[in-house]
Amino acid sequence: MPPIGSLSPSTFSLPALTLVIGGARSGKSRLAERLVTATGRPRCYIATAQAFDAEMQARIDQHRTDRGPDWQTLEAPTDIATALAACDPGSAILIDCATLWLSNHLLAGHDLDAAGTTLVQALTTHAAPIVIVSNEVGWGIVPENALARQFRDAQGRLNQQIAARAGSVIGVMAGLPFALKGALPQAAL
């Protein structure tokens, strides 16, 4: 894929909701950034990561540097609905990622089903097109502990809820996008 910065603004149109899903380091965040950038709209980035150590802070800083200064960035470890309300309805929105958002709720002891319902409602009622990134965590072995199994099951349910409402679902493996639902947009290639 060409670097994000090599895309020129276009009249590319996103569906109201796009899910970009794949494994860790598959290229899904980079693809999601390409899709949002290709719209030519102002860009709003909703970040769900929290920096609990220096290594994670370095990752967050690198993501910001890679995106460049042309993104409005909002931190929303758990409250995506409020962050969405702060994004201009004329923008294109990227939420990265549903996996960290869900783990933040799990570790805070929140009701994961209720949080997921609130998230999906917020995603489907916002005026701007939204691209949300999520990890596919169900392809590995069954985790050995209850907390990990609870997370894996909740992530699978959340991914299914988002995919059911998305106009486009794009899988990413080894940096290569493939259409799971809807057509693969030219901006993804």
Side-chain angles (χ1 to χ4, degrees), residues 88-173:
D88 182 333
S91 66
I93 300 169
L94 171 55
I95 301 170
D96 197 357
C97 75
T99 310
L100 288 173
W101 172 86
L102 184 68
S103 66
N104 293 339
H105 279 284
L106 175 67
L107 296 175
H110 298 160
D111 179 331
L112 300 184
D113 290 331
T117 298
T118 300
L119 172 65
V120 170
Q121 181 179 10
L123 294 175
T124 57
T125 58
H126 199 279
I130 298 171
V131 176
I132 186 166
V133 174
S134 191
N135 284 6
E136 174 51 64
V137 297
W139 286 358
I141 61 172
V142 175
E144 68 180 44
N145 66 72
L147 183 65
R149 287 188 300 273
Q150 179 187 8
F151 173 75
R152 185 222 33 208
D153 294 350
Q155 186 68 62
R157 286 191 301 273
L158 180 63
N159 288 343
Q160 288 180 54
Q161 288 179 304
I162 295 169
R165 287 157 183 83
S168 175
V169 179
I170 302 170
V172 183
M173 187 177 290

